[in-house]
Amino acid sequence: MHEAIRYISDKLKNYAHFLLVKLEEAAKQNLQLLKEVNPPLVENLLRNLPAEQFERLVKESLDLFLTHIMDDTWRDGIKETLRQWEANELPTVTRDEISIDDILLIYSVRKTLFYSRLPEYTQDANLITDIVKEIDFIISEVQRQAFSLYVQISGKQLEKKNKELKESHEEVAAMNEELRQSEEELVATNEALVEAEERLLDINKDLELKVLERTQNLKTINDLNSSITQKFNIHDIVQEVTDVATKLAKAEFGAFFYNTINEQGELLTLYTISGVAIENFSKFPHPRKTQIFAPTFEGTAIVRSDDITLDPRYGQNPPHKGMPQGHLPVKSYMAIPVKSINGEVLGGLFFGHSKPGIFTEESEKLVLSVSTHAGISIQNSKLFSQLKASEQKFQFTLDAMPQMVWTANAQGEFDYINKHWVDYTGLSMKEIRKGWPSVNHPDDIASTTEIWRKAFAVGTSFEIETRIQNAHTKEFRWHLVRALPMKNDRGEITKWLATLTDIHEFKISQERLKMLATVLENMNEGVSVSDETGVIFYTNPTEERMFGYERGELIGKHVSIQNAYPPKENEAIVNQVLTVLKTNGFWSGEWHNIRKDGTTFYTYSFISTLKLKDKSLLVCVQRDITEEKLNKAALEYQSTLNKTITDNATSALFMMNAKGYCTFFNPAAEKMFGYSFEEISIKPLHYLIHHHRPDGSFYPMEECPLDRALPENFDVRAHEDVFIKKDGTFFSVVCAASPIFENGIPVATVIEVRDVSEEKEAKVRIYESNEQLKLKNKELQKINNDLDNFVYTASHDLKAPIANLEGLLNALKKQLDGQPLSEKLNAILSLMEKSILRFKETIKGLTEISKTQKNVNEDVEEIIIDKLMEEISLEISPMIEASAASISVSTDGCQKIVFSKYNLRSIFYNLITNAIKYRNPEVGLEILINTYCRQNLTIIEVRDNGLGIKQENTSRIFEMFKRLHHHVDGSGIGLYIVKRIVENAGGSIEVESELGKGTLFRVLMPEN
């Protein structure tokens, strides 16, 4: 039930502020919704206003409404807007251009806008419910007050029309009084004439006839007035006026041309005929505003002519130059305009006679009197039609409303119900006149009746949620009942108006929403809802705890933030899932996830597509299966490991039950003893492989330690014995036996048997081989030391000659400085200089190779990659500046590496300088460095957009002294050193390259 809200809560104010921040977007959505609903007012504004002005009007209106909500001045805002409407002071539109349908539809659109943006603002179901309640109250209050004002305005208009009608009737009554007085005067005159009868005998008869005629005429006019004042059909009024006026004028025929408006709002000119058949005039066009007809149609004068054909205005207008052919002959002519009380010309009375001099001043007066009565009655008829149309429109509006509506008089007695009330409750107006209708739920009758009683007693509006029974389905449905008193200018209640809105689905949805929110909040599974693009807008607490996020922290983020796959793999997996969703509507399977802190885990997810109007939502329900997966993997691994061990074990393995029968043996046992499983399981194992001693004596099973291990509960370890093969040969073994218990009961014995007959012979050979290996190792160590010494000595001894050559070359260049040299000599000096430089780089490379081999496991430490890259960038900054290279480093996936700092620096240094050397001069050099971890590997990627390498040459670039591009200096040792460092650390290096596009080096090393 909606309670009266005195103050706007901070919840709605905060939501209003949220919409103000997004005002542009919200205003556009509001505009679109208005265009879709397209109420008459919006249609009119769109037709008459420029699009920009209308958009600005919508935006300013929404801005003002939201500001009123934030300031809690929305009631004042509503009152001011409605005051402007009532006073006809609204900008861009007049009061009469706005209907109640416009108000209801516009604010319904605004409520739809508020509802549609709630999921974007919050996922808290309780908060949504509270905000929806306040929004619904405010919008309903706006609609209620607007409807109330509309009813008051309509009421005032009806009162005004009634007042005008009353004034018209009073004027008619006054005229009737005048007529009555005139009649009395006539009677008095008649009496005087009787007294003078003797004196005026000659003229008495003539006067008597005139008096009688005038009396009859006045009676005719009076009867006409009485008749037409009771009629409201304009055609009936006009026809009767035409008949009477034609008779009073003594015309052969008369006509009344009048204007009226049809149901489509079109202006029509109609006419009535008296004295002749209408066919005499139907073939002729209506009179136009010629010189003769204009005074009548314009209401400026009465036209009376003894012979119209002699009138100078006659015959001056084409095409007929007079009366058209076939028209009845007219000599005497009279035309009198018919006007309303306020002077509006309503039509004209036209009379004709074939003889001249028929129409007199008296007949003119009589017809003028008739025209006056006709004008009043026609005006009353129009007012009645307008009033009836207004009432019909009001009743149609109430009948067209989706709510049930009833009204009651000032005494609280029901006097109107709309069609929807009758259809729903099955109660007629007669049935509810007796009092409050008994359609409420039995549990609601007392409270509803009491609220109505109190509201009626103090004259205040009331609102209540109650259940009302459907007469057809017998179902009780929740309705929101709102009733308000209508008051006159003196503040007195004149009527009660109530609306009953079906809120059953909303009420049920509220309960379901609360229940669903409770279920979601307490589920053990994580739940998230995202749109079609993957943007999350709801997560339950379990989902947030599962991924290590705070409440609401995942809202607005893309679902990929939860995935632990590398970018390319993640994109492929997501696309595959989306394809399945589009085809089947759901997808289920395992998902590899990553928490906020970077730790990974696995879930089993069920994703389904939820259609909502024109949108599709993705609902994901998932549970953490990391432990389950680890346990399953461990079990599978253990099973596989056990099978692998038993299948590949060189020792024979047996499983023997409590009776000594073999229940399992491995391939090594089958090979060692020569029995198949069918053969070895037909009798106790002892009597197949251990039944006799080497001396040929029988060996009882009870004496065998292997068979006693289970019943006596002891282990046999490293037991040396002699067993017998299927072919009867004896061989030496070392065996062991261990009992297996289930719930404290001995059930089986595991026996391991190792053939050691060859082992004894091998021990001697192994000893001799070990002695030889020791000698070989000493020789290899000596050779390695000699090689290291050679490399060091060679590099050291070669440095001096090279330095001398470099010095001599510099001395020679200094000696020749300033002297003209031939082109050939300059080329020789340049070649010598380059050869010395390459020689130095080669010696340096050999030294690096030696250091690399020695530093494989030395100086291992935790290295921060960003810091190492700063050091390298600083060292090679001249090369970077000279090449204008752009270097981007991403270490989000792996920020630290445990490695030899010297060797890791060498890897980065060689790969980066290699990219700079072999850059493409036609494009700006971009070097992208990325580090991340995957499947216990630390991965380093260095990508460039340089010259690239042909695919068939990629395997050769790691060879020592191998160079595929010769336009830059180099020794061909750098990539060889990188490969040597990586492989010495147990890793590998890959290369992907395309000629002219660039190269990607990928280093994969075991993590830590």
Side-chain angles (χ1 to χ4, degrees):
M1 170 174 158
H2 291 291
E3 298 178 358
I5 298 176
R6 294 177 58 85
Y7 303 105
I8 296 298
S9 71
D10 290 339
K11 299 175 184 177
L12 183 56
K13 290 181 180 179
N14 292 336
Y15 180 47
H17 179 263
F18 166 78
L19 291 178
L20 275 175
V21 172
K22 295 180 176 288
L23 183 61
E24 289 289 340
E25 184 179 340
K28 289 180 180 179
Q29 184 179 354
N30 195 13
L31 178 64
Q32 183 61 34
L33 289 170
L34 285 172
K35 290 181 178 178
E36 291 174 0
V37 175
N38 199 26
L41 176 61
V42 172
E43 183 179 4
N44 183 42
L45 290 174
L46 285 172
R47 186 169 56 250
N48 298 322
L49 293 180
E52 296 81 4
Q53 185 178 351
F54 182 67
E55 291 171 5
R56 186 169 63 253
L57 183 66
V58 172
K59 180 180 177 182
E60 290 173 354
S61 174
L62 182 59
D63 186 2
L64 182 61
F65 188 68
L66 291 171
T67 302
H68 282 323
I69 290 177
M70 288 185 62
D71 298 341
D72 204 1
T73 57
W74 60 275
R75 288 184 175 85
D76 296 334
I78 293 171
K79 291 179 180 177
E80 175 58 23
T81 301
L82 295 179
R83 187 201 64 75
Q84 292 178 355
W85 179 28
E86 183 179 15
N88 201 18
E89 296 176 358
L90 287 173
T92 69
V93 293
T94 65
R95 178 181 61 201
D96 295 336
E97 290 177 313
I98 302 176
S99 71
I100 187 61
D101 292 335
D102 293 321
I103 300 296
L104 296 176
L105 288 173
I106 288 171
Y107 277 96
S108 294
V109 164
R110 185 158 289 173
K111 181 162 67 173
T112 301
L113 169 68
F114 284 7
Y115 286 173
S116 67
R117 303 194 71 89
L118 269 173
E120 181 184 354
Y121 172 65
T122 180
Q123 298 302 312
D124 188 328
N126 293 325
L127 178 57
I128 289 176
T129 301
D130 292 341
I131 293 176
V132 164
K133 183 176 180 181
E134 289 196 63
I135 291 172
D136 185 57
F137 173 78
I138 291 175
I139 298 300
S140 298
E141 185 66 13
V142 173
Q143 294 175 334
R144 183 189 67 77
Q145 291 194 25
F147 190 82
S148 175
L149 179 59
Y150 174 76
V151 171
Q152 291 178 16
I153 292 174
S154 299
K156 289 180 179 179
Q157 290 176 342
L158 289 174
E159 289 179 2
K160 182 178 179 183
K161 296 295 183 182
N162 286 330
K163 185 177 180 181
E164 292 176 353
L165 187 60
K166 182 178 179 182
E167 291 175 351
S168 298
H169 280 295
E170 289 176 351
E171 291 179 1
V172 170
M175 294 181 67
N176 286 335
E177 179 63 22
E178 291 179 3
L179 289 174
R180 188 187 62 77
Q181 292 177 359
S182 298
E183 188 174 356
E184 290 178 352
E185 291 175 0
L186 287 174
V187 171
T189 303
N190 190 44
E191 291 176 352
L193 289 173
V194 171
E195 293 176 359
E197 183 178 8
E198 296 296 332
R199 296 189 301 271
L200 300 173
L201 184 61
D202 293 336
I203 61 174
N204 183 55
K205 291 182 181 181
D206 184 50
L207 287 175
E208 184 177 338
L209 290 174
K210 287 183 179 180
V211 170
L212 290 174
E213 181 181 8
R214 180 173 175 80
T215 302
Q216 184 62 41
N217 288 340
L218 289 175
K219 185 176 185 303
T220 300
I221 292 172
N222 189 49
D223 292 342
L224 171 67
N225 182 52
S226 299
S227 176
I228 62 178
T229 53
Q230 298 177 22
K231 295 180 179 179
F232 295 101
N233 183 292
I234 189 168
H235 185 76
D236 292 345
I237 294 173
V238 170
Q239 183 63 59
E240 186 172 356
V241 167
T242 307
D243 292 340
V244 171
T246 302
K247 181 180 178 181
L248 292 173
K250 298 180 180 179
E252 289 181 336
F253 55 87
F256 191 155
F257 287 89
Y258 63 97
N259 296 328
T260 186
I261 297 176
N262 66 9
E263 294 179 355
Q264 288 73 38
E266 300 169 332
L267 179 65
L268 300 178
T269 300
L270 304 179
Y271 66 94
T272 54
I273 296 295
S274 184
V276 294
I278 195 169
E279 290 78 10
N280 290 301
F281 287 91
S282 59
K283 60 185 176 181
F284 300 116
H286 291 177
R288 295 171 294 154
K289 285 187 178 181
T290 61
Q291 294 183 45
I292 289 177
F293 295 133
T296 307
F297 286 126
E298 293 174 354
T300 57
I302 297 173
V303 178
R304 178 165 55 87
S305 173
D306 290 337
D307 190 344
I308 195 63
T309 60
L310 300 178
D311 193 298
R313 297 171 292 182
Y314 179 80
Q316 301 300 314
N317 300 97
H320 303 293
K321 300 293 185 178
M323 282 175 281
Q325 186 176 0
H327 195 283
L328 292 174
V330 177
K331 290 292 185 176
S332 295
Y333 171 80
M334 184 170 62
I336 297 176
V338 178
K339 302 180 184 179
S340 67
I341 296 173
N342 56 13
E344 177 189 1
V345 178
L346 303 176
L349 284 165
F350 298 85
F351 306 96
H353 202 287
S354 58
K355 296 179 180 179
I358 298 299
F359 304 128
T360 65
E361 183 179 354
E362 179 66 19
S363 59
E364 178 182 323
K365 290 180 180 179
L366 292 172
V367 174
L368 179 60
S369 176
V370 170
S371 72
T372 302
H373 291 297
I376 294 172
S377 294
I378 291 173
Q379 187 176 20
N380 288 342
S381 173
K382 288 185 176 182
L383 290 174
F384 177 80
S385 297
Q386 291 173 2
L387 180 61
K388 186 175 181 181
S390 178
E391 289 176 348
Q392 289 175 343
K393 183 178 180 181
F394 180 67
Q395 184 170 341
F396 177 78
T397 301
L398 294 181
D399 285 341
M401 289 178 65
Q403 298 102 328
M404 292 186 281
V405 179
W406 57 257
T407 62
N409 58 24
Q411 290 72 41
E413 299 167 342
F414 295 98
D415 57 11
Y416 170 78
I417 51 175
N418 71 345
K419 184 176 182 298
H420 189 48
W421 169 278
V422 177
D423 293 343
Y424 184 87
T425 66
L427 298 179
S428 65
M429 187 69 221
K430 181 179 180 181
E431 292 173 297
I432 71 166
R433 286 187 186 276
K434 300 176 183 178
W436 188 260
S438 57
V439 292
N440 296 81
H441 191 279
D443 295 342
D444 299 344
I445 291 177
S447 58
T448 304
T449 305
E450 179 64 15
I451 288 178
W452 162 237
R453 187 188 64 77
K454 289 182 178 178
F456 177 76
V458 297
T460 59
S461 60
F462 75 89
E463 180 178 300
I464 186 173
E465 291 180 1
T466 183
R467 288 162 290 181
I468 299 178
Q469 188 176 39
N470 185 303
H472 308 287
T473 65
K474 304 304 180 184
E475 175 190 13
F476 283 96
R477 295 180 62 85
W478 283 100
H479 284 73
L480 174 64
V481 181
R482 293 193 181 100
L484 70 153
M486 300 168 58
K487 300 180 180 180
N488 57 22
D489 296 338
R490 297 183 297 277
E492 299 169 341
I493 295 177
T494 59
K495 190 176 285 293
W496 288 85
L497 173 67
T499 60
L500 295 85
T501 305
D502 190 326
I503 60 170
H504 193 75
E505 278 70 25
F506 175 75
K507 190 84 173 177
I508 300 303
S509 297
Q510 271 190 325
E511 297 300 323
R512 289 176 179 171
L513 188 61
K514 290 179 181 178
M515 181 179 68
L516 180 60
T518 303
V519 171
L520 288 174
E521 297 295 304
N522 293 279
M523 282 180 65
N524 292 325
E525 292 81 6
V527 180
S528 66
V529 183
S530 61
D531 61 20
E532 290 177 295
T533 66
V535 176
I536 301 170
F537 64 86
Y538 172 78
T539 54
N540 71 343
T542 303
E543 178 89 357
E544 291 160 338
R545 288 194 301 270
M546 189 183 298
F547 285 86
Y549 287 90
E550 297 296 327
R551 191 77 173 108
E553 195 174 354
L554 280 169
I555 304 303
K557 293 183 170 58
H558 197 271
V559 292
S560 58
I561 196 176
Q562 299 175 299
N563 302 342
Y565 304 104
K568 287 186 178 179
E569 184 181 355
N570 182 64
E571 182 179 358
I573 292 174
V574 170
N575 289 336
Q576 181 183 2
V577 171
L578 290 176
T579 301
V580 174
L581 283 171
K582 287 181 180 178
T583 304
N584 302 333
F586 67 91
W587 176 92
S588 62
E590 290 187 8
W591 203 269
H592 192 195
N593 305 287
I594 186 169
R595 296 186 180 90
K596 182 180 179 181
D597 62 7
T599 57
T600 62
F601 66 104
Y602 290 89
T603 58
Y604 187 85
S605 304
F606 184 89
I607 305 174
S608 59
T609 303
L610 177 63
K611 295 290 185 181
L612 263 181
K613 293 183 179 179
D614 56 343
K615 295 181 180 179
S616 292
L617 303 180
L618 301 180
V619 181
C620 177
V621 180
Q622 52 189 338
R623 60 183 176 87
D624 191 335
I625 62 168
T626 306
E627 185 175 352
E628 177 184 326
K629 189 175 179 68
L630 290 174
N631 292 338
K632 182 180 179 182
L635 186 60
E636 290 176 352
Y637 173 76
Q638 190 63 45
S639 177
T640 303
L641 180 62
N642 290 341
K643 188 175 186 307
T644 303
I645 291 173
T646 56
D647 287 352
N648 294 280
T650 57
S651 298
L653 299 174
F654 297 92
M655 178 78 77
M656 188 172 66
N657 64 19
K659 294 182 179 181
Y661 284 82
C662 179
T663 58
F664 166 82
F665 77 156
N666 68 340
E670 182 178 7
K671 182 179 179 182
M672 185 181 295
F673 289 91
Y675 289 103
S676 67
F677 182 73
E678 290 76 12
E679 293 172 330
I680 207 166
S681 59
I682 60 175
K683 61 172 66 176
L685 184 62
H686 178 82
Y687 293 118
L688 292 171
I689 65 172
H690 205 194
H691 47 81
H692 283 80
R693 294 185 176 92
D695 60 5
S697 60
F698 180 73
Y699 195 171
M701 179 176 174
E702 294 79 12
E703 297 179 10
C704 177
L706 302 180
D707 289 286
R708 296 201 318 270
L710 182 63
E712 297 179 16
N713 189 17
F714 68 87
D715 291 338
V716 178
R717 298 285 182 235
H719 173 67
E720 293 187 8
D721 211 326
V722 177
F723 283 177
I724 308 166
K725 295 183 179 182
K726 181 182 178 181
D727 61 9
T729 58
F730 289 82
F731 64 102
S732 299
V733 298
V734 173
C735 57
S738 298
I740 298 176
F741 292 84
E742 287 185 3
N743 300 321
I745 301 174
V747 293
T749 305
V750 176
I751 301 172
E752 178 193 6
V753 179
R754 185 162 55 87
D755 185 349
V756 295
S757 55
E758 294 180 0
E759 206 172 284
K760 293 180 179 180
E761 298 175 3
K763 282 184 179 179
V764 176
R765 294 196 299 271
I766 289 171
Y767 175 78
E768 293 173 353
S769 297
N770 285 339
E771 292 300 317
Q772 291 177 0
L773 285 173
K774 288 179 182 178
L775 294 174
K776 290 291 184 181
N777 282 335
K778 288 182 179 179
E779 291 177 4
L780 287 173
Q781 287 177 358
K782 185 176 182 301
I783 291 170
N784 283 333
N785 290 333
D786 291 343
L787 284 173
D788 288 341
N789 290 334
F790 170 75
V791 171
Y792 176 76
T793 303
S795 62
H796 181 271
D797 292 346
L798 288 173
K799 283 181 182 177
I802 292 301
N804 290 336
L805 284 174
E806 188 174 20
L808 290 172
L809 181 60
N810 289 334
L812 179 60
K813 288 170 67 178
K814 186 175 182 181
Q815 186 68 30
L816 297 174
D817 188 28
Q819 298 183 23
L821 302 177
S822 67
E823 184 177 344
K824 184 175 182 181
L825 183 56
N826 272 326
I828 291 171
L829 290 173
S830 177
L831 288 173
M832 290 175 65
E833 192 172 23
K834 289 181 179 180
S835 296
I836 291 170
L837 181 60
R838 281 198 298 273
F839 208 164
K840 290 170 67 178
E841 289 179 350
T842 301
I843 292 171
K844 181 180 178 183
L846 289 171
T847 305
E848 288 293 323
I849 292 171
S850 177
K851 289 180 179 179
T852 298
Q853 185 62 31
K854 289 181 178 182
N855 291 335
V856 173
N857 294 314
E858 294 180 6
D859 303 325
V860 174
E861 59 181 293
E862 187 177 70
I863 304 162
I864 300 174
I865 297 175
D866 286 335
K867 186 174 181 181
L868 178 61
M869 289 306 305
E870 290 177 3
E871 295 174 1
I872 295 173
S873 298
L874 183 63
E875 181 178 347
I876 63 172
S877 58
M879 293 180 69
I880 295 173
E881 292 176 2
S883 63
S886 171
I887 301 177
S888 300
V889 181
S890 174
T891 61
D892 293 342
C894 180
Q895 299 176 349
K896 299 177 182 180
I897 296 178
V898 177
F899 205 71
S900 165
K901 183 175 182 180
Y902 178 85
N903 286 345
L904 186 60
R905 177 194 173 282
S906 181
I907 291 172
F908 278 115
Y909 180 89
N910 280 295
L911 292 179
I912 294 171
T913 56
N914 192 68
I916 294 175
K917 286 179 182 179
Y918 301 109
R919 63 185 179 276
N920 187 341
E922 296 180 358
V923 297
L925 176 59
E926 293 183 357
I927 302 174
L928 307 176
I929 300 170
N930 186 26
T931 61
Y932 57 91
C933 298
R934 184 180 66 188
Q935 299 176 348
N936 298 323
L937 291 176
T938 298
I939 300 174
I940 301 171
E941 290 184 347
V942 179
R943 184 190 298 271
D944 65 63
N945 61 342
L947 296 173
I949 309 164
K950 291 181 179 179
Q951 189 63 34
E952 58 267 24
N953 292 331
T954 54
S955 61
R956 301 168 55 199
I957 60 175
F958 296 108
E959 298 174 8
M960 189 183 295
F961 305 122
K962 189 65 181 179
R963 299 174 63 229
L964 299 179
H965 297 285
H966 299 281
H967 65 284
V968 295
D969 293 332
S971 63
I973 293 177
L975 292 179
Y976 171 81
I977 291 174
V978 171
K979 188 172 187 293
R980 187 78 174 271
I981 292 172
V982 172
E983 290 181 346
N984 285 344
S988 62
I989 184 168
E990 302 171 352
V991 61
E992 298 175 8
S993 186
E994 185 177 350
L995 192 63
K997 296 293 182 67
T999 303
L1000 167 65
F1001 287 98
R1002 185 180 292 109
V1003 176
L1004 301 95
M1005 295 187 295
E1007 194 171 357
N1008 297 330

